[in-house]
Amino acid sequence: MQRGRPDWDDYFMEIAHVVAKRSTCLRRQIGAVIVKDKRILTTGYNGAPGGLPHCLELGCLRDELGIESGTRQEICRALHAEQNAIIQAALYGVSTKEATLYCTHQPCSLCAKALINAGIRRIVFEGDYPDQFALDMLKLAEVEMAQYIREPEEVG
């Protein structure tokens, strides 16, 4: 029996989930893939800046301080997956103008601002994140948002 070929959203979202496996966050493992013309430009996952100890080694500062999810994102050792994907593009001189972001979770307001300024025009995300302000900004900037619904895998 021949397996079905994934459409582009399925394909890139699956890659985002693989990228998330590199995450060093103890709370959420997030993966992001920036794509243009059906080609991967960059990827990113959430983790500490290069060369610094990760939360896997030091523990979660947010947990230690009792900070609720979706608040006070600045109190975290890690960069977000979306930020890392944009930074990788900048490091290697890759334009993200008119690109699509595939992300395992909805971007927060900090990432939404960066994505808008990076020229991202479409965001496909799977999991929710408690940040309505981010959605409001992305809508105002006319960034297309699409929540990805994963189809249950067939057993057989």
Side-chain angles (χ1 to χ4, degrees):
M1 181 173 176
Q2 186 177 358
R3 294 174 38 196
R5 188 173 184 212
D7 68 20
W8 291 109
D9 284 353
D10 293 332
Y11 176 72
F12 292 122
M13 189 58 74
E14 189 65 30
I15 293 170
H17 278 278
V18 172
V19 171
K21 292 179 181 183
R22 290 284 304 154
S23 169
T24 59
C25 179
L26 297 171
R27 283 187 168 190
R28 292 178 190 246
Q29 287 66 54
I30 312 288
V33 179
I34 297 177
V35 173
K36 186 172 181 180
D37 299 328
K38 299 178 184 157
R39 301 289 180 256
I40 295 172
L41 302 178
T42 65
T43 65
Y45 55 87
N46 52 333
L52 298 183
H54 291 278
C55 298
L56 289 173
E57 303 163 73
L58 300 175
C60 178
L61 180 60
R62 293 173 58 81
D63 280 347
E64 291 169 20
L65 297 173
I67 297 172
E68 186 179 332
S69 183
T71 65
R72 307 291 315 268
Q73 291 98 336
E74 75 278 7
I75 301 177
C76 181
R77 289 182 183 93
L79 289 157
H80 289 188
E82 304 94 322
Q83 293 168 335
N84 269 324
I86 292 167
I87 290 165
Q88 290 303 308
L91 275 172
Y92 294 100
V94 176
S95 173
T96 57
K97 185 177 182 182
E98 304 294 324
T100 297
L101 172 83
Y102 289 86
C103 196
T104 58
H105 290 73
Q106 173 200 311
C108 71
S109 56
L110 296 174
C111 290
K113 292 184 272 187
L115 292 163
I116 291 165
N117 274 4
I120 301 295
R121 300 307 308 150
R122 179 172 183 250
I123 297 173
V124 180
F125 67 96
E126 189 169 345
D128 290 325
Y129 189 75
D131 192 338
Q132 184 61 44
F133 184 54
L135 295 174
D136 295 344
M137 280 192 298
L138 290 162
K139 182 178 180 180
L140 190 61
E142 298 180 354
V143 174
E144 179 188 342
M145 298 292 290
Q147 186 161 18
Y148 178 83
I149 307 297
R150 185 186 294 247
E151 295 293 327
E153 293 186 33
E154 291 184 26
V155 179

